[in-house]
Amino acid sequence: MDRRQFLAASSIGLTTAMAGCAGSPLSSGDAGTEPDDEPGSNSDTAPESDSGATEADGEITVSASGEVETEPDQAVVSLGVEASGESAEAVTDALSSGANALRAAFDDLEIPEENVEEGQYRVYPARGRNADGFEGRHSFRVVVAEVDRVGEVIDGAVEAGADDVGHVSFTLTEETQSELRKDAIDAALSNADNEASHIADNREVQLEGTTAVTTGDVQVHSVRRETAATDDAASGGAPPTEIDAEPVSVSASVTVTYAFAA
């Protein structure tokens, strides 16, 4: 079932500006006609406004946000292997062996090669006051296309020797992000329209159109879950790992300027 839904968004800010002279609400720098009784005026030669705007014309600027959410359609799992030994060479060999075992497990899990990205690789002197020897870690970033397989992937990696299981991020594919980006902007614009209409009613003025629109950042709010490898999981004695995926949201902000006349 499509759980995508629009969420109410709060207005970030709003301003109202009154133009001091008559001018077109959809253009700038157009001078209006001056009153006939103004000293020194010449009503026969004064330029006329093409828009028919009055001295009460002005602008209302509204900033608003919009948000939509949907179920995640991919997950990113961070995991790897760690090693320690008396020499850097011994640690390097252990990390290489562990990484090869993980790659074989990814193949068995039918994870496409392009979905497995090499992460951090480090070999360094052991830390601590009385520590000696060397330590190291080799991590991977694994993209799982079917979010309901995240637990299976973690269990398979742990059984293959992964002892550095970091976190899982439930997120969206680029295609879904692009689609929801438009929906979030639409929601933000709708909220701005409602806000501007409310202000216009309160001030007893009439909106005449939009003069400017600026979009802000569009953000994808992924859901992150921390995980950890256990001895039971490595030995196969633990129950299958289950990680619930919550909806992912996409938000956008806009600033819209509306022309109005009294």
Side-chain angles (χ1 to χ4, degrees), residues 117-203:
E117 178 181 336
E118 298 280 345
Q120 186 181 54
Y121 178 87
R122 293 183 60 200
V123 176
Y124 47 88
R127 300 167 180 172
R129 179 175 299 179
N130 300 318
D132 56 7
F134 291 82
E135 299 175 344
R137 66 191 304 268
H138 189 172
S139 63
F140 293 85
R141 178 180 179 274
V142 183
V143 177
V144 182
E146 302 87 0
V147 295
D148 57 352
R149 294 192 62 205
V150 168
E152 176 189 355
V153 171
I154 292 176
D155 290 342
V158 171
E159 290 178 9
D163 46 18
D164 177 20
V165 181
H167 61 269
V168 178
S169 294
F170 293 98
T171 185
L172 304 171
T173 62
E174 291 185 2
E175 181 180 359
T176 303
Q177 289 183 30
S178 178
E179 179 183 349
L180 291 191
R181 178 183 185 277
K182 299 175 183 177
D183 291 343
I185 291 175
D186 287 345
L189 289 172
S190 178
N191 289 330
D193 289 345
N194 292 335
E195 197 77 38
S197 295
H198 173 74
I199 297 170
D201 291 343
N202 182 274
R203 297 294 88 187

Side-chain angles (χ1 to χ4, degrees), residues 59-258:
E59 292 180 334
I60 296 174
T61 298
V62 174
S63 294
S65 62
E67 187 175 86
V68 294
E69 67 176 23
T70 189
E71 296 294 340
D73 57 3
Q74 78 173 14
V76 180
V77 183
S78 173
L79 46 80
V81 291
E82 297 178 338
S84 60
E86 296 181 356
S87 67
E89 182 179 0
V91 173
T92 299
D93 290 342
L95 291 178
S96 176
S97 177
N100 288 336
L102 283 186
R103 294 189 187 96
F106 298 150
D107 288 339
D108 292 341
L109 290 166
E110 298 182 348
I111 297 176
E113 185 176 346
E114 61 269 22
N115 285 8
V116 179
E117 178 181 336
E118 298 280 345
Q120 186 181 54
Y121 178 87
R122 293 183 60 200
V123 176
Y124 47 88
R127 300 167 180 172
R129 179 175 299 179
N130 300 318
D132 56 7
F134 291 82
E135 299 175 344
R137 66 191 304 268
H138 189 172
S139 63
F140 293 85
R141 178 180 179 274
V142 183
V143 177
V144 182
E146 302 87 0
V147 295
D148 57 352
R149 294 192 62 205
V150 168
E152 176 189 355
V153 171
I154 292 176
D155 290 342
V158 171
E159 290 178 9
D163 46 18
D164 177 20
V165 181
H167 61 269
V168 178
S169 294
F170 293 98
T171 185
L172 304 171
T173 62
E174 291 185 2
E175 181 180 359
T176 303
Q177 289 183 30
S178 178
E179 179 183 349
L180 291 191
R181 178 183 185 277
K182 299 175 183 177
D183 291 343
I185 291 175
D186 287 345
L189 289 172
S190 178
N191 289 330
D193 289 345
N194 292 335
E195 197 77 38
S197 295
H198 173 74
I199 297 170
D201 291 343
N202 182 274
R203 297 294 88 187
E204 297 182 350
V205 297
Q206 182 69 40
L207 295 179
E208 292 193 336
T210 301
T211 63
V213 178
T214 302
T215 59
D217 292 337
V218 177
Q219 299 181 340
V220 178
H221 305 279
S222 301
V223 178
R224 178 167 169 154
R225 292 284 181 267
E226 297 296 332
T227 59
T230 65
D231 293 337
D232 288 341
S235 63
T241 299
E242 295 183 3
I243 301 179
D244 294 331
E246 296 182 3
V248 175
S249 63
V250 179
S251 64
S253 61
V254 297
T255 299
V256 185
T257 299
Y258 305 82

